[in-house]
Amino acid sequence: MTDLFELVSNLRRPRLLIRAARFGLRDYNRNRDLRRLMRQPTVPSPESALERLMAEETLLETSRREGAAHYNLMRHIEVLIAMMAEARLLPRPPSMG
């Protein structure tokens, strides 16, 4: 299985988009925000949430790059915030020393 934390860490997005997401991390409330973003009554595990969020973020990034009329900047930032927060909840693999 691919390390989800590493995938999030290696994302390359415009600096302003990442800065906006980092700024929003301090107000992130997993129970409130993740339920709303995922449109479901309960919050999934961090692994499951991160997989779904990453799939949605890929679609949002494609829309952004293509200049699609339906692109939603606020949704993109919210998804990035949730991805960063969920990645922090993942167990870290032991470091190779």
Side-chain angles (χ1 to χ4, degrees):
M1 181 173 144
T2 306
D3 182 16
L4 292 172
F5 183 80
E6 187 174 322
L7 288 173
V8 172
S9 298
N10 291 331
L11 273 181
R12 298 295 170 242
R13 299 296 182 255
R15 185 175 301 174
L16 189 57
L17 197 58
I18 296 299
R19 286 183 66 197
R22 283 187 184 140
F23 184 76
L25 272 173
R26 72 178 96 168
D27 294 325
Y28 180 76
N29 178 304
R30 185 172 200 270
N31 194 39
R32 176 195 66 212
D33 299 329
L34 193 56
R35 284 189 350 199
R36 180 180 49 78
L37 279 173
M38 301 191 101
R39 298 177 179 103
Q40 59 185 62
T42 59
V43 291
S45 69
E47 294 86 359
S48 177
L50 195 50
E51 287 174 359
R52 288 182 54 195
L53 289 165
M54 289 179 71
E56 182 174 353
E57 195 280 332
T58 298
L59 296 173
L60 287 163
E61 178 63 9
T62 300
S63 295
R64 182 190 70 79
R65 286 178 179 243
E66 292 174 351
H70 65 272
Y71 173 68
N72 185 334
L73 175 63
M74 293 306 297
R75 176 90 180 164
H76 199 168
I77 293 169
E78 289 174 334
V79 168
L80 285 169
I81 291 167
M83 283 174 55
M84 290 175 182
E86 294 301 308
R88 289 179 176 181
L89 298 175
L90 295 175
R92 301 277 167 71
S95 60
M96 303 284 230

